[in-house]
Structures are given as C-alpha cells and as structure tokens.
Amino acid sequence: KKVKPLINFRQGNLPPTVFAKFYLFTPFFKKWNKIIYLDADIMVLAPITQLTKLSGFNAVKDYLSPKLYHQFENTKQNPILSAKLKKDFLLNTEAFNSGVMIFSTDIIEKNAIKKLSNLAKNYLSILRFGEQSPLNLYFYKKWKTLPIVYNIIPFYIEKSSNIEKIKTIILHFAGEKPWKETKKYHSAYKIWERSLKNAESIKKLPSAKPKKSWTEEEIRKESNKLERKLYSNLLKKDYEHFKGGV
C-alpha cells in the first residue's frame, strides 16, 4: 500500500522513510487480529508462531540503550525540549528496540498516527534513533517485555567470525549489514545467504518439514545466557550508554 511521507526531512543519518513505521498503528491494520512486525535487517532462525498468542504491545528491551533517556541526544543544546521531556516522562524507565514489535490490533487508537507524528516532530532535534524514540514515548509504561532471543544484535555477543555460534530465534543486524561486507562479516553473511536460499526454496518445497518451535524453558535458558554475555561484553568495553543521562 502506498502512503504519504509523514516527515519530509532526514533525522540525523536516517531517511524520512523510517517514520513510515507509524502507519502500523492506523485503522487499516485492524483487519488482522495480530501484527508481527520485523525490520528488514532481521533474520528469523526458528519458528515464531508462539508470538501470535500475545496480547497488547510487546517488544524486546533495548539492551544497548536500555533507558528512555538513552533514546535522545543533544539535550544540553536543547534545554527547553529537555525540560519538557523530563516533565512529561520518567526518563529512567526502560526502553525497547522497535526492530521487532508484536501487538494485538485492539490497541490501535483512532488518532494514534497523529500522536506519533506530533511526538516525532516536537522532539525531532533530539531524537537519537529515528522512529524508535517517539514510539517509546507513545508506549510509555504500556509495553510488555519479550525475551532477548526475539531481537538480539549479534555483534555485541560474538565477534563477526563467530556469529554462527549464537543460539537465538531472531538476529537483528542493526547498524552494519553483513550482506554488504561479505569479507568482514563472513560468518554472518553465511547465515544470511543460507536464510535467503531457504526462503527461495519455500515455493519449491511447500511440504518441507518446519523447524521445531522452542519451548518456554529453552527460551528462558538461552535468554539468560545471552543477557549474561551481553552485559559482560558491554561492561568490558565500558559502553557509553551505561553512563550519564539527560
């Protein structure tokens, strides 16, 4: 479906098209009971059918920028906007990554897209992550946390040569893309190439046996492992987003 741009100028290094994600929350999508949204730089490695059982709005915590105040920048240069943000929101609240979102369409409000667009325009000069920042404001204290296996950025877990070792359901290649850097990210490129071939073979092999879904115990166990390794790696690197705030 063709849609009009909601914002006609870039936000940092991001194109205006990122804000088209807001169209997910228009009445058009109420023809379905559930929406499972995945960014284009995501690879699904195991069945995600269990996500269709969820209600409300669900996403994975943004482990690299875990608090709401991490979703904004240049706040010192914009004291008025910063003060308004602090007044309207508790900025120490956890934030989510908008690369994977699952929601039941009964949460869609009639004027949702107008509210989202206004949030984006009002705070445009301090948004850090394009559409993700206003989405976090819109769903402030109204979202449910998904396990990390549903949205893991692999380069913070393993070196680029070891990405195949990561046991997860969804890989999210936020930032650099392995399919553009085949030599540097050869391990990730192999995963992407294999996933592409599997996707292309679906039409040829409609009766192929699907992969087994993960059990709740497997999800819990592997999520705990990933969280421990991620936090360990980030602390070793003294990752900047674990310091300071707005």
Side-chain angles (χ1 to χ4, degrees):
K1 180 181 178 180
K2 290 185 178 181
V3 294
K4 294 180 180 179
L6 294 171
I7 292 177
N8 293 312
F9 37 88
R10 298 180 69 89
Q11 190 272 313
N13 64 341
L14 297 172
T17 49
V18 298
F19 296 101
K21 195 179 289 187
F22 296 163
Y23 278 106
L24 288 167
F25 304 98
T26 56
F28 173 83
F29 285 91
K30 291 178 83 67
K31 64 177 71 176
W32 297 282
N33 292 327
K34 300 285 172 65
I35 299 295
I36 297 179
Y37 171 83
L38 308 174
D39 268 357
D41 54 1
I42 269 173
M43 291 187 217
V44 179
L45 306 179
I48 57 173
T49 50
Q50 57 269 52
L51 296 179
T52 62
K53 301 175 184 178
L54 300 176
S55 61
F57 180 85
N58 306 263
V60 174
K61 175 183 172 181
D62 189 340
Y63 284 84
L64 304 182
S65 303
K67 300 296 183 180
L68 194 55
Y69 63 77
H70 292 132
Q71 304 294 311
F72 300 89
E73 61 184 358
N74 302 322
T75 51
K76 291 183 180 179
Q77 294 86 346
N78 295 273
I80 295 177
L81 279 182
S82 180
K84 177 173 173 52
L85 199 61
K86 289 179 179 179
K87 179 182 176 182
D88 295 342
F89 303 95
L90 180 61
L91 298 180
N92 202 40
T93 304
E94 288 192 340
F96 61 84
N97 182 285
S98 62
V100 176
M101 301 184 294
I102 298 89
F103 59 94
S104 47
T105 56
D106 58 1
I107 71 163
I108 296 176
E109 299 177 305
K110 187 177 181 180
N111 60 346
I113 195 166
K114 183 178 180 180
K115 289 182 178 179
L116 283 163
S117 297
N118 286 341
L119 284 169
K121 291 172 183 176
N122 292 342
Y123 292 105
L124 191 68
S125 60
I126 62 172
L127 299 181
R128 190 170 203 156
F129 301 118
E131 86 295 338
Q132 179 172 298
S133 304
L135 279 168
N136 267 280
L137 296 182
Y138 182 77
F139 287 106
Y140 175 68
K141 292 189 176 182
K142 294 186 290 186
W143 62 283
K144 301 175 185 179
T145 306
L146 285 175
I148 192 174
V149 291
Y150 287 113
N151 188 354
I152 182 68
I153 298 174
F155 303 123
Y156 291 91
I157 298 292
E158 290 284 355
K159 294 179 180 178
S160 57
S161 59
N162 295 328
I163 287 175
E164 285 186 290
K165 294 181 180 180
I166 300 174
K167 190 173 181 181
T168 189
I169 295 175
I170 289 177
L171 287 176
H172 184 184
F173 292 96
E176 296 174 301
K177 316 303 179 190
W179 44 91
K180 292 184 178 179
E181 301 284 349
T182 58
K183 291 182 180 179
K184 187 177 180 181
Y185 303 123
H186 63 276
S187 177
Y189 179 81
K190 287 179 181 178
I191 300 173
W192 172 78
E193 186 178 42
R194 186 167 61 244
S195 297
L196 180 63
K197 288 179 179 179
N198 288 340
E200 291 175 342
S201 68
I202 289 175
K203 292 182 180 179
K204 299 177 183 178
L205 300 170
S207 61
K209 187 177 180 181
K211 288 185 177 180
K212 179 180 174 293
S213 296
W214 286 28
T215 65
E216 289 186 11
E217 176 60 22
E218 287 174 320
I219 291 171
R220 184 193 62 77
K221 182 179 178 181
E222 295 305 325
S223 290
N224 288 340
K225 287 181 182 179
L226 287 171
E227 285 182 355
R228 286 196 298 270
K229 187 156 191 177
L230 177 61
Y231 283 131
S232 175
N233 290 346
L234 292 176
L235 287 172
K236 286 177 184 176
K237 294 179 180 179
D238 196 22
Y239 193 59
E240 63 172 332
H241 286 188
F242 285 92
K243 309 174 193 175
V246 172

